[in-house]
Amino acid sequence: MPELEISPANVVQVILWSREGPSAGAQLREFIAALNEDEQAQLTAIAWVGRGAFEPEEFDEAVATAVAEATTPTEDYLMGMPHLAENLEAGLEALGIDVTGEEEDLL
């Protein structure tokens, strides 16, 4: 399991807001924009692992790629990604990060 800069609770918050769709769009955009660069890169990497672009053991490489290839604001990139919530959920699961407690706390 990789050591995360971004807290699992923050990832779950992004998942919940992205599921709400346009009604939570402004909150989601501000939340992602307020994360630091490392957290944004890790959030992107978790989504990439979830959609199969990287294997779980390539997480550090995915983070480095997210930093190196960031050409648009992370919030724009992630909010334009189809199935963001599903990708993040699958990524957390693939990385062995259990967020059951965080989901219950946020709901």
Side-chain angles (χ1 to χ4, degrees):
M1 187 165 101
E3 192 165 317
L4 293 181
E5 294 287 322
I6 187 167
S7 75
N10 281 349
V11 179
V12 170
Q13 186 64 70
V14 171
I15 291 169
L16 294 175
W17 276 333
S18 64
R19 277 198 196 127
E20 287 180 34
S23 63
Q27 290 169 297
L28 179 58
R29 177 174 300 282
E30 287 176 24
F31 187 81
I32 295 172
L35 297 173
N36 69 39
E37 184 184 19
D38 291 339
E39 291 170 323
Q40 289 182 0
Q42 288 194 347
L43 188 63
T44 301
I46 291 167
W48 285 347
V49 168
R51 75 174 189 199
F54 288 86
E55 294 300 316
E57 56 273 12
E58 298 171 328
F59 182 75
D60 290 340
E61 182 186 337
V63 172
T65 302
V67 171
E69 295 185 2
T71 54
T72 60
T74 303
E75 59 274 17
D76 292 344
Y77 175 75
L78 289 176
M79 290 179 73
M81 180 185 285
H83 314 297
L84 175 61
E86 292 86 348
N87 289 339
L88 288 171
E89 285 179 330
L92 288 170
E93 189 175 321
L95 293 165
I97 300 165
D98 180 14
V99 293
T100 313
E102 280 80 0
E103 284 188 347
E104 289 166 2
D105 290 346
L106 290 169
L107 292 176

